[in-house]
Amino acid sequence: MQTMNFPHKKTVTTRIALCGFLLLIILAGCTGGITGETLEVVGETDKTPTGPTYTPSVTSTRTVRPTVYVQPTPTFTEFTLMADEMVTSIDRSYTLLVPSSFDVIETYGYLDFHDYVLFVFSEMYSYPDDVEYLYGLSDESIAIDHLSLIGRGGGGGLNLGDPYPVMVDGVEGTGFNVSGTRYDTPEEGEIVIVKRNHIEVLVIMALSSQDRYEQQWQDYDQALFQEVLDSFHFNRETPCTVSASSAYGYSQNLPIGVGGGDFAGETLIEVYLSSLRGPDGQTITYEYIDSIPYDDSLLVRYNISYSGLSAPVELFFDINNFTNPMAPVGFSCFSDFEFGLP
């Protein structure tokens, strides 16, 4: 995971004392007294010999070191925004607002943006093995792991506060306040964990440097990060259309492919059914029947009912294979299906 360092400029001023000048004047006066030479008086034209003239050396000035920024890993794409802009991750899994003039670095599911004070990063985990692993951890454990990664090599420690509920694009997640130091700089911020429909896990964090102003997070950057969270949109949605085939969903040969496997298959079926409605928008009810092997896959059967239907209908779901789901003939949709490939 890419981390960024923002060192601060330090000006060092040197002072040089010109003690040599005074010393030579004193020595010149002492020399005249020791030799005992007689000075001839010639009225107003008399001149007293003077000591040697001392020219002080030029005071040197230390050149201020420029601010140094850590160069991004070459595998990342970097660009600078000139105005507030909605940016989509390379894998197209999410979109969010990036403030104006922030430098942006991104790779497949990872995106960070920063100026000299605020650093924000987000990462979407969507590979099935990663999602299954993260779903097995508590939100606190995920947050601690990411704080350890972001603070590694920083010579300091970031601490996690108590959890609290947050909403990101209508999905409930967990937020934690963050405080501590990195690179000997005090920082405050927030980390948010969102587990969505067993298909992806979002980790998004903001860290604000308090080096120049100790209330930077509370007075400015916290509100800015909230704007980012409010703008966030999950893009893994499949538009709901009604299948042209009367066999779709009703036949073992043409099941509704939701994917997810043993880990998330049945959860994704319920996600699918939450968007399904009767032909006139009636709310449906559903009941699990059983699971049956079919070819190289596993099919799950559900009974579906809605007001006005004389008898429940049976639908088949394929939990080992994903094909953009559609509504079977005789059904409609309440909303797009909130899962799928972008």
Side-chain angles (χ1 to χ4, degrees):
M1 181 174 301
Q2 183 68 22
T3 60
M4 302 297 299
N5 173 25
F6 304 97
H8 294 277
K9 200 179 298 180
K10 294 184 178 179
T11 304
V12 179
T13 305
T14 60
R15 299 179 179 178
I16 300 176
L18 303 180
C19 299
F21 177 73
L22 297 175
L23 179 61
L24 286 174
I25 291 176
I26 294 171
L27 288 176
C30 293
T31 302
I34 292 173
T35 57
E37 293 180 351
T38 301
L39 300 179
E40 182 181 358
V41 178
V42 189
E44 295 181 359
T45 62
D46 290 349
K47 296 182 180 181
T48 302
T50 59
T53 301
Y54 175 77
T55 303
S57 59
V58 178
T59 302
S60 62
T61 302
R62 186 183 296 272
T63 302
V64 178
R65 292 187 300 174
T67 301
V68 179
Y69 293 96
V70 174
Q71 294 298 317
T73 305
T75 55
F76 286 75
T77 300
E78 183 174 18
F79 57 94
T80 299
L81 297 171
M82 300 309 295
D84 289 356
E85 183 175 327
M86 295 297 292
V87 175
T88 299
S89 61
I90 290 178
D91 66 350
R92 300 187 61 80
S93 63
Y94 62 91
T95 300
L96 50 67
L97 176 72
V98 175
S100 61
S101 299
F102 273 53
D103 291 331
V104 180
I105 299 175
E106 61 176 340
T107 187
Y108 188 67
Y110 174 92
L111 186 150
D112 84 43
F113 48 93
H114 59 272
D115 61 4
Y116 63 92
V117 172
L118 180 64
F119 167 66
V120 179
F121 87 86
S122 60
E123 184 155 11
M124 185 75 77
Y125 297 91
S126 57
Y127 289 110
D129 289 347
D130 293 340
V131 173
E132 183 174 0
Y133 170 73
L134 292 173
Y135 259 82
L137 299 178
S138 67
D139 292 346
E140 182 177 8
S141 295
I142 296 173
I144 290 173
D145 287 347
H146 282 76
L147 285 183
S148 298
L149 288 173
I150 208 76
R152 184 175 296 170
L158 295 171
N159 304 310
L160 204 63
D162 294 331
Y164 49 86
V166 296
M167 295 292 290
V168 179
D169 196 19
V171 183
E172 186 170 331
T174 305
F176 302 87
N177 289 321
V178 176
S179 62
T181 60
R182 274 199 317 152
Y183 301 99
D184 298 323
T185 300
E187 294 187 336
E188 290 188 49
E190 183 177 5
I191 184 169
V192 173
I193 314 297
V194 181
K195 297 174 177 175
R196 179 174 177 263
N197 294 340
H198 285 73
I199 61 169
E200 54 193 2
V201 176
L202 168 68
V203 179
I204 183 167
M205 176 193 290
L207 290 174
S208 176
S209 171
Q210 312 297 290
D211 186 52
R212 297 187 178 185
Y213 177 52
E214 64 180 12
Q215 293 291 110
Q216 179 70 32
W217 172 251
Q218 291 86 349
D219 291 352
Y220 299 103
D221 293 338
Q222 188 173 28
L224 181 58
F225 183 56
Q226 187 59 52
E227 287 186 34
V228 173
L229 291 179
D230 291 344
S231 74
F232 193 97
H233 179 64
F234 293 99
N235 291 338
R236 294 188 189 276
E237 298 171 344
T238 300
C240 179
T241 58
V242 178
S243 174
S245 172
S246 60
Y248 179 77
Y250 298 101
S251 168
Q252 297 181 30
N253 295 322
L254 200 58
I256 302 166
V258 296
D262 293 336
F263 167 65
E266 292 191 23
T267 298
L268 294 180
I269 292 174
E270 294 185 4
V271 170
Y272 170 90
L273 292 173
S274 68
S275 295
L276 202 65
R277 294 292 185 269
D280 297 318
Q282 303 98 314
T283 300
I284 67 167
T285 58
Y286 52 86
E287 181 182 13
Y288 170 83
I289 302 175
D290 59 15
S291 301
I292 57 173
Y294 183 77
D295 287 342
D296 295 327
S297 187
L298 184 69
L299 302 184
V300 180
R301 295 193 300 166
Y302 273 76
N303 273 334
I304 313 296
S305 301
Y306 56 80
S307 177
L309 190 64
S310 58
V313 297
E314 185 177 284
L315 295 180
F316 292 87
F317 296 89
D318 185 348
I319 64 171
N320 287 340
N321 298 286
F322 177 86
T323 54
N324 284 340
M326 296 178 287
V329 171
F331 288 88
S332 64
C333 293
F334 169 73
S335 63
D336 289 342
F337 300 119
E338 293 187 0
F339 61 92
L341 301 177

